[in-house]
Amino acid sequence: QVQLVESGGGLVQAGGSLRLSCAASGRTLTMGWFRQAPGKEREIVAAITWSGYTTYYYANSVKGRFSISRDGAKNTVYLQMSSLKPEDTAVYYCAAKTTASVTRLDDDYAYWGQGTQVTVSS
């Protein structure tokens, strides 16, 4: 069983930056960040997989503004968010799976964090 603990959400002004962290308690090969805004479906933001080489995925809406990275020694994945916009406001969830493939569907991820609120004010 893998447990995910997220941190780093908060309130920031438009144009600002935040970094989310997700620490995993067990072995995973793919981790991703999803978000869900009020009244909207949960959507993938970014994902990273590592098995010999590292593969990244970014949603078009965050390309060039967000960056996902991993610290293998700490078994932690980060989401660096810059140039934040009010439409980035959502609950952000960390997700993980034990297979090495970047996928965009939340059903593909077996493990989930509790979620952390990110609010971007205009």
Side-chain angles (χ1 to χ4, degrees):
Q1 192 74 5
V2 175
Q3 291 186 331
L4 304 176
V5 178
E6 303 149 345
S7 61
L11 173 64
V12 64
Q13 289 188 333
S17 299
L18 279 176
R19 188 177 80 157
L20 306 182
S21 301
C22 177
S25 64
R27 182 176 181 268
T28 61
L29 289 177
T30 302
M31 292 180 72
W33 288 96
F34 289 74
R35 68 185 180 186
Q36 187 166 22
K40 294 188 176 181
E41 292 186 354
R42 187 162 56 187
E43 63 176 1
I44 191 167
V45 175
I48 181 171
T49 188
W50 53 91
S51 180
Y53 56 91
T54 303
T55 302
Y56 304 88
Y57 169 85
Y58 294 97
N60 287 336
S61 59
V62 306
K63 280 182 182 177
R65 300 189 299 121
F66 290 12
S67 176
I68 190 169
S69 61
R70 174 181 175 261
D71 184 332
K74 296 181 179 179
N75 211 14
T76 297
V77 168
Y78 304 96
L79 184 69
Q80 178 67 48
M81 305 184 293
S82 303
S83 302
L84 283 160
K85 304 175 182 180
E87 50 264 43
D88 294 318
T89 295
V91 177
Y92 283 70
Y93 296 92
C94 177
K97 53 183 179 143
T98 56
T99 55
S101 62
V102 170
T103 57
R104 294 174 287 176
L105 299 176
D106 52 8
D107 285 348
D108 292 338
Y109 293 79
Y111 306 102
W112 290 85
Q114 78 281 4
T116 185
Q117 177 70 46
V118 171
T119 303
V120 184
S121 63
S122 58

